Amino acid sequence: GAGADAVGSGAGDADAVVATAAWCCGAADDACRRLRALPLATPSSTAYAGRFAAFAEACAETCAREAASRLLRRCGLEPMLLRCRKVELLQARGEVLGPAAEAISRETLSAALRAFYSALFQDPAPDLGAIAPDARRAEAKSLCAKILAHAHASVYALAADEGTGGYGETDFLVHSPDQVRVLLDV
């Protein structure tokens, strides 16, 4: 699912990706606004304005996805999200993967979830503050929050299921997916 895909490849300089995408987002939105403000709109200027708007939206989406991926990697949830993706793919083919507890210790997952929950009580994606205008920034923050909520729900479901998780006692699953959605305002 999207939660498992949120981790991405981890390749490249994430700071440069976010900074560049945020700058491009602002520049494209500015170009779009200027083209739409022309006193005599032409089919060409209208088409270019639409292209700039679409580009700005794509840049904001890139920022949101990278910010979510960065937080999930930093918290240590990447191995479990990759495990979620593997289980999903194998189940689609009718195959079964052993319990996650055999590959990812309870202590490791517990620490990753504590770090994730802690990050939610701060700004989980401070990099998105560089996106302008405000409406575009709000869209990016909303998308980032949805990605994080989905990623948590994927990890929670896998860990809570005795067959796919194998953790037995799951007291380390402190917040339910619904509670995380509320914390993220999704």
Side-chain angles (χ1 to χ4, degrees):
D5 293 338
V7 174
S9 68
D13 183 355
D15 290 333
V17 168
V18 172
T20 302
W23 181 86
C24 288
C25 183
D29 269 325
D30 185 53
C32 176
R33 183 182 48 74
R34 290 172 187 259
L35 282 168
R36 288 186 175 150
L38 290 174
L40 294 173
T42 65
S44 180
S45 68
T46 302
Y48 275 112
R51 288 181 187 153
F52 279 122
F55 181 69
E57 185 176 330
C59 289
E61 183 178 321
T62 296
C63 286
R65 290 187 184 287
E66 188 57 43
S69 294
R70 186 185 310 186
L71 181 120
L72 294 167
R73 281 191 303 272
R74 189 175 61 241
C75 292
L77 284 175
E78 183 175 29
M80 192 63 164
L81 287 163
L82 293 173
R83 182 81 180 195
C84 290
R85 185 69 177 143
K86 252 187 216 176
V87 167
E88 183 181 291
L89 292 171
L90 288 173
Q91 284 178 343
R93 294 190 336 214
E95 299 175 33
V96 177
L97 188 63
E102 294 174 3
I104 302 165
S105 75
R106 174 186 174 79
E107 294 75 23
T108 299
L109 180 56
S110 180
L113 284 169
R114 279 194 312 273
F116 177 75
Y117 296 144
S118 177
L120 297 185
F121 288 102
Q122 303 163 18
D123 182 356
D127 303 334
L128 300 182
I131 297 174
D134 292 345
R136 188 75 67 199
R137 181 174 44 256
E139 290 170 10
K141 285 186 174 223
S142 175
L143 176 59
C144 182
K146 288 174 186 171
I147 291 168
L148 293 173
H150 185 75
H152 174 264
S154 297
V155 168
Y156 189 97
L158 186 80
D161 183 270
E162 187 55 39
T164 58
Y167 290 101
E169 185 63 37
T170 56
D171 57 340
F172 57 90
L173 296 172
V174 177
H175 297 288
S176 72
D178 286 338
Q179 290 169 326
V180 168
R181 281 191 286 277
V182 167
L183 286 172
L184 290 169
D185 197 25
V186 175

